[in-house]
Amino acid sequence: MILVIYFHGFGSSPENAKVDILKKEGFKVVAPTIDIDPDKAETELRLFIKSELTKDFISDDHSRKVVFVGTSMGGFWAARMAEYFDCPSVLINPALKPTETLKQFIGTNKNYKTGKPFELTKEIVAKYKSFENFSTDSHRTYFVAKNDDVVKDVKKAVGEGPSTYHEFESDDHRGLTIFPHVIKHLKSI
């Protein structure tokens, strides 16, 4: 069985349609809440994942594989954590360069699920610069909407690496229209 650690996107939450779909498809899914401040997010995510992997390790199913899946900013964190924990990742319209992608959201935003307002400052966006360097992408599989208007130039950000890249004629940033392909891929792991 596959343990999917799902990373939500900017302004979203762990309670979302993709998590529900993954669970309905039979995957064990855990999803952390991700702080917008990268310093806090990095620390909290590492602790969350270590806790989940420890739980998984002491379970009876030692054949379980762990895959990190994320959308948009969640794709950024999935890639980052997958590199840290040496696990495969599936990235849906990932915001690999948050210092560029997040500029359009500086100011007051609302959480899509709760409606609760939160503030994204220039200072927080600038902090992401030190988090944008990845050493490898060999464990990544990309699922990208070709005409995404939020995250642009994913292919350029990916560069020439050993990763697997799937591009779809779509403008669906949230990735729900391409999510059946993600499910099929996860079932093939």
Side-chain angles (χ1 to χ4, degrees):
M1 176 180 257
I2 295 176
L3 168 63
V4 173
I5 300 180
Y6 181 80
F7 299 82
H8 65 78
F10 174 81
S12 190
S13 74
E15 297 90 32
N16 66 57
K18 287 186 233 59
V19 170
D20 294 340
I21 292 167
L22 287 164
K23 287 179 179 178
K24 285 179 186 170
E25 290 291 333
F27 296 101
K28 178 179 179 188
V29 183
V30 294
T33 298
I34 304 171
D35 197 290
I36 193 61
D37 183 307
D39 293 325
K40 291 179 186 174
E42 177 97 357
T43 301
E44 292 169 359
L45 290 173
R46 286 183 182 186
L47 289 172
F48 177 87
I49 294 163
K50 284 178 185 175
S51 172
E52 289 302 321
L53 294 179
T54 301
K55 288 178 201 173
D56 195 59
F57 180 75
I58 61 174
S59 77
D60 292 334
D61 185 2
H62 297 292
S63 65
R64 182 170 288 154
K65 295 179 182 180
V66 178
V67 180
F68 296 159
V69 177
T71 304
S72 191
M73 277 302 296
F76 168 82
W77 285 112
R80 188 156 175 84
M81 293 297 110
E83 186 174 281
Y84 182 79
F85 287 97
D86 194 26
C87 292
S89 61
V90 174
L91 313 177
I92 305 156
N93 297 323
L96 297 175
K97 300 289 184 188
T99 52
E100 295 170 19
T101 305
L102 289 175
K103 284 180 185 177
Q104 61 192 310
F105 300 106
I106 292 173
T108 302
N109 297 273
K110 285 187 181 179
N111 181 287
Y112 299 122
K113 180 76 172 173
T114 66
K116 182 180 175 184
F118 65 95
E119 192 74 21
L120 178 64
T121 66
K122 290 178 185 176
E123 293 76 21
I124 289 174
V125 172
K127 283 183 179 185
Y128 277 93
K129 191 67 174 169
S130 65
F131 291 83
E132 291 179 346
N133 297 320
F134 294 97
S135 62
T136 181
D137 74 346
S138 62
H139 294 308
R140 297 184 205 155
T141 302
Y142 296 87
F143 289 85
V144 178
K146 186 176 182 179
N147 302 310
D148 186 341
D149 63 345
V150 177
V151 177
K152 298 170 181 68
D153 296 326
V154 172
K155 200 167 199 173
K156 183 179 174 185
V158 170
E160 298 296 323
S163 60
T164 305
Y165 187 88
H166 304 280
E167 190 172 66
F168 299 87
E169 286 295 332
S170 173
D171 63 356
D172 177 18
H173 175 67
R174 291 183 59 221
L176 286 170
T177 58
I178 59 179
F179 209 61
H181 300 282
V182 172
I183 296 294
K184 183 177 179 184
H185 172 74
L186 288 171
K187 287 184 175 183
S188 72
I189 294 177

